[in-house]
């Protein structure tokens, strides 16, 4: 595994900031919090792009920490209330009037992917490569998709207020 690089250290810093913001959601009004989340996505996306090629892609499991993810999802969905749901392209194609997009889902998936890598990162420099692999594999398989959806949806929601 690779040792710590400046790009990895910067990513860890940005990931920590995002996770602290998510952990502290209850200290904000929902729309104010979403505006902060929206602003945190740009540095997060820029930092992950700098990681590309610094480590191999690891194995990603959707089943890890599923109970904790579900608990957070429910808390965030309740906190966001009617602001949480949004139309996806698939919803519009089906036309059954059901919105399946969820800001809480997107935020939860990003949060837990970042936390997985941070768990390696905090073990020390010898685990920096594992942290980067976790972040990159998760980004390619899952949280990159959620980041793109979240960024797109928040652009509309936070500017409407």
């Amino acid at each position: 595994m690779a040792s710590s690089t400046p790009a990895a250290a910067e990513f860890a810093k940005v990931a920590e900031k995002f996770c602290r913001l998510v952990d502290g959601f209850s200290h904000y009004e929902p729309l104010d919090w979403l505006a902060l989340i929206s602003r945190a996505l740009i540095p997060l996306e820029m930092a992950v792009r700098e990681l590309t090629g610094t480590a191999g892609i690891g194995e990603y499991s959707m089943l890890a920490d599923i109970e904790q993810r579900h608990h957070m999802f429910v808390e965030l969905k309740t906190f966001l209330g009617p602001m949480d749901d949004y139309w996806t392209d698939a919803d519009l194609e089906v036309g059954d009037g059901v919105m399946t997009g969820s800001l809480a889902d997107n935020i939860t998936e990003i949060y837990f992917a970042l936390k997985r890598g941070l768990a390696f990162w905090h073990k020390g420099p010898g685990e920096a490569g594992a942290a980067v692999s976790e972040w990159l594999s998760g980004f390619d398989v899952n949280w990159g998709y959620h980041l793109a959806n979240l960024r797109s949806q928040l652009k509309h929601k936070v500017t409407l207020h």
Side-chain angles (χ1 to χ4, degrees):
M1 290 283 167
S3 62
S4 179
T5 65
E10 179 61 22
F11 186 84
K13 183 175 140 186
V14 171
E16 288 274 6
K17 184 175 181 181
F18 182 86
C19 290
R20 280 193 307 273
L21 185 56
V22 173
D23 286 333
F25 75 90
S26 64
H27 300 293
Y28 299 94
E29 291 298 319
L31 202 53
D32 295 337
W33 183 71
L34 287 175
L36 293 171
I37 289 288
S38 181
R39 284 192 294 271
L41 296 178
I42 295 167
L44 186 60
E45 188 167 13
M46 288 173 53
V48 77
R49 300 281 180 218
E50 293 297 315
L51 289 181
T52 304
T54 61
I57 302 300
E59 191 172 310
Y60 185 80
S61 169
M62 294 290 288
L63 297 178
D65 54 38
I66 196 162
E67 288 181 27
Q68 297 93 335
R69 285 188 325 190
H70 179 71
H71 179 74
M72 175 173 274
F73 165 74
V74 170
E75 282 187 332
L76 292 177
K77 187 161 185 62
T78 301
F79 172 70
L80 294 172
M83 286 186 286
D84 181 58
D85 298 326
Y86 62 87
W87 297 105
T88 67
D89 290 340
D91 298 336
L92 300 175
E93 284 181 30
V94 172
D96 62 1
V98 176
M99 285 189 273
T100 61
S102 167
L103 299 176
D105 178 55
N106 292 323
I107 294 166
T108 298
E109 291 299 321
I110 295 166
Y111 173 88
F112 276 94
L114 299 178
K115 285 296 222 182
R116 286 180 187 181
L118 286 168
F120 285 112
W121 184 261
H122 292 301
K123 289 180 181 179
E127 294 296 324
V132 170
S133 289
E134 187 69 36
W135 290 321
L136 287 175
S137 63
F139 182 79
D140 287 344
V141 173
N142 185 37
W143 73 270
Y145 166 82
H146 288 282
L147 180 101
N149 284 340
L150 185 59
R151 188 173 19 87
S152 173
Q153 292 304 314
L154 288 180
K155 181 175 18 174
H156 301 295
K157 289 191 186 276
V158 299
T159 57
L160 295 176
H161 180 60

